[in-house]
Amino acid sequence: DIQMTQSPSSLSASVGDRVTITCRASQGISNYLAWFQQKPGKAPKSLIYAAYSLQSGVPSKFSGSGSGTDFTLTISSLQPEDVATYFCQQYDTYPRTFGQGTKVEIK
Amino acid sequence: EVQLVESGGGLVQPGASLRLSCAASGFTFSSYAMSWVRQAPGKGLEWVSGISGSGDDTYYADSVKGRFTTSRDNSKSTLYLQMNSLRAEDTAVYYCAKDGDEWLANAFDFWGQGTMVTVSS
């Protein structure tokens, strides 16, 4: 199975900060990488697919990049409504696997 | 508007069976693959199973293979997860998720709100 490793596991940043989360795959997955946001007590929400394509309705402050084994999710200007846990997932190979999550908080 | 509504969760004893349902609306159900994803209390997300739009192809995580069966009734726009021989470690919120295409080759684009399954004596 492909292992997905996110870093950091948690972060605390100020409102307006640029935040970057990384996700590394244990083997190449081309660009078959998705990002999800899960707010406390809620279901996950799809943010990005194909490493950098925004799902419909997702604000442009979210962006993704990367290919192969190394990927990033960036929030350009952190806002209180962005407090959540963010997960990456590879869909190149079954079983689909998720990263362990990155919890984002406001400092 | 896409809606996915899970149901069927509850408290069951180890070894028991349970069937979850996911009622879909707002899109042509048969044209999209669907998946089940679970989340144990306080833990991360775990992909459980996927099924193609036609229902001809299914995939399972090793942790549930042989115990869980995913199926769909395209005439009812409903996805199912039959769970047998349940174990304590199956305790989780179970989400259904819609794939971006018919063939289990694209990312999830919509999620349901989840249904809680608790396996305990």
Side-chain angles (χ1 to χ4, degrees), chain A residues 1 32-34 36 38 41-50 55 87 89 91 94-100, chain B residues 35 37 39 43-47 50 59-62 95 99 103-114:
Chain A
D1 298 358
Y32 296 107
L33 191 283
F36 305 99
Q38 187 176 33
K42 300 295 186 182
K45 174 187 175 182
S46 299
L47 293 179
I48 288 173
Y49 65 99
Q55 291 283 358
F87 295 92
Q89 185 207 33
Y91 55 99
Y94 280 88
R96 296 182 174 189
T97 43
F98 290 90
Q100 81 278 15
Chain B
S35 292
V37 175
Q39 186 171 37
K43 302 297 184 182
L45 300 171
E46 180 188 14
W47 174 83
Y59 293 89
Y60 297 94
D62 285 346
Y95 297 100
D99 271 40
W103 303 282
L104 290 162
N106 212 325
F108 304 148
D109 53 9
F110 289 96
W111 297 67
Q113 87 288 349

Side-chain angles (χ1 to χ4, degrees), chain A residues 5 7 11 14 16 22 25 31 59 65 71-72 74 85 87 93 98 100:
Chain A
T5 303
S7 61
L11 67 88
S14 299
T22 64
N31 68 334
S65 64
F71 302 87
T72 61
T74 299
T85 300
F87 295 92
T93 306
F98 290 90
Q100 81 278 15

Side-chain angles (χ1 to χ4, degrees), chain B residues 31-73:
Chain B
S31 294
Y32 293 91
M34 299 290 294
S35 292
W36 289 99
V37 175
R38 68 185 180 183
Q39 186 171 37
K43 302 297 184 182
L45 300 171
E46 180 188 14
W47 174 83
V48 172
S49 176
I51 185 168
S52 61
S54 65
D56 289 344
D57 297 304
T58 54
Y59 293 89
Y60 297 94
D62 285 346
S63 57
V64 306
K65 201 173 294 183
R67 299 187 299 123
F68 290 11
T69 302
T70 294
S71 62
R72 62 193 297 160
D73 185 337

Side-chain angles (χ1 to χ4, degrees), chain A residues 1-105:
Chain A
D1 298 358
I2 297 175
Q3 305 300 316
M4 305 300 292
T5 303
Q6 288 181 233
S7 61
S9 297
S10 64
L11 67 88
S12 181
S14 299
V15 171
D17 281 354
R18 182 181 182 89
V19 169
T20 298
I21 299 167
T22 64
C23 178
R24 175 165 288 176
S26 60
Q27 63 189 68
I29 58 170
S30 184
N31 68 334
Y32 296 107
L33 191 283
W35 289 97
F36 305 99
Q37 175 194 61
Q38 187 176 33
K39 295 184 178 181
K42 300 295 186 182
K45 174 187 175 182
S46 299
L47 293 179
I48 288 173
Y49 65 99
Y52 62 85
S53 297
L54 263 61
Q55 291 283 358
S56 177
V58 173
S60 59
K61 64 179 173 180
F62 292 98
S63 63
S65 64
S67 182
T69 60
D70 295 312
F71 302 87
T72 61
L73 171 70
T74 299
I75 307 172
S76 61
S77 177
L78 186 68
Q79 299 300 311
E81 63 267 24
D82 302 326
V83 168
T85 300
Y86 294 83
F87 295 92
C88 63
Q89 185 207 33
Q90 65 81 18
Y91 55 99
D92 176 69
T93 306
Y94 280 88
R96 296 182 174 189
T97 43
F98 290 90
Q100 81 278 15
T102 296
K103 187 175 184 179
V104 174
E105 298 176 318

